[in-house]
Amino acid sequence: LFGVFYNGRRMKQENDAELVARSRRGDLGAFDALVARHIGALTSFCRRMTRNAEEAEELVQESFIAAYDRLALLRDGGAFGSWLVTICLNKFRSGKRRQRRETTMLDNLRCETPMTTETSFGTEGELDIVVKEKLLALPNRQREVMALHLYRDLSYRQIADLLGCTYADVKVNVSLARK
């Protein structure tokens, strides 16, 4: 295939198999070319699946990172595009499963925390609904940290141990979530 120009000269456009082979040898420019070739179609696909531009962009980034990390596992370099879509679909499905589990966890935590006294916001039950909505709007890690802190009354150290992250990571995520 011809059609790519470099310094005014027509150059041969490499196919996916050639770019995958070069990427496996550590050529980051080759992987950049794969990204450039497939990002438009993958982004469009993700936007249709998620119906959310921000979520779609995140899914695209995660898919390309996973593809790069697992490039050695790809048997047919010429099938990079379909393999990338498969990775993306798997990430989307696992994200939906995780989202359902987290929603269930938040529902369970809310049910375990009785809230019936009056506050300046109305009843504490109404405040709980507002807090839950705000939690659901947070990114995953911030939501996990805040749910454990608010509903389980765990210390930052306990949360860090439970989630397998550092104390500083918990502290940063709580700070970001409160903004």
Side-chain angles (χ1 to χ4, degrees), residues 33-177:
L34 285 167
V35 170
R37 181 175 293 167
H38 294 281
I39 196 165
L42 190 64
T43 300
S44 176
F45 176 71
C46 288
R47 284 185 178 160
R48 284 192 305 272
M49 274 194 320
T50 63
R51 296 184 184 122
N52 178 306
E54 187 177 298
E55 191 177 334
E57 292 298 323
E58 188 174 324
L59 187 58
V60 167
Q61 289 178 8
E62 289 174 7
S63 298
F64 276 113
I65 290 168
Y68 183 77
D69 289 342
R70 299 179 189 141
L71 204 54
L73 302 175
L74 177 60
R75 291 185 183 139
D76 176 11
F80 180 82
S82 58
W83 181 67
L84 181 62
V85 168
T86 301
I87 289 172
C88 182
L89 277 170
N90 289 338
K91 290 207 158 289
F92 176 74
R93 289 175 185 143
S94 66
K96 287 297 178 191
R97 283 191 300 270
R98 183 175 43 253
Q99 192 175 32
R100 281 193 300 270
R101 282 193 308 267
E102 288 170 355
T103 300
T104 302
M105 182 183 99
L106 287 175
D107 287 340
N108 291 341
L109 287 172
R110 191 178 126 274
C111 290
E112 293 173 9
T113 307
M115 293 191 157
T116 54
T117 61
E118 291 288 324
T119 68
S120 60
F121 294 103
T123 67
E124 284 191 39
E126 291 169 352
L127 178 61
D128 188 43
I129 291 169
V130 172
V131 170
K132 181 181 175 188
E133 288 172 354
K134 297 289 185 185
L135 276 175
L136 290 173
L138 292 172
N140 291 340
R141 181 58 95 174
Q142 291 174 18
R143 183 172 47 244
E144 291 170 351
V145 168
M146 288 304 291
L148 291 169
H149 184 63
L150 292 173
Y151 291 110
R152 293 290 183 189
D153 200 28
L154 296 179
S155 70
Y156 291 0
R157 177 66 55 208
Q158 291 170 317
I159 294 169
D161 292 341
L162 184 67
L163 297 178
C165 61
T166 65
Y167 177 85
D169 186 43
V170 171
K171 205 169 164 183
V172 166
N173 280 291
V174 167
S175 176
L176 290 171

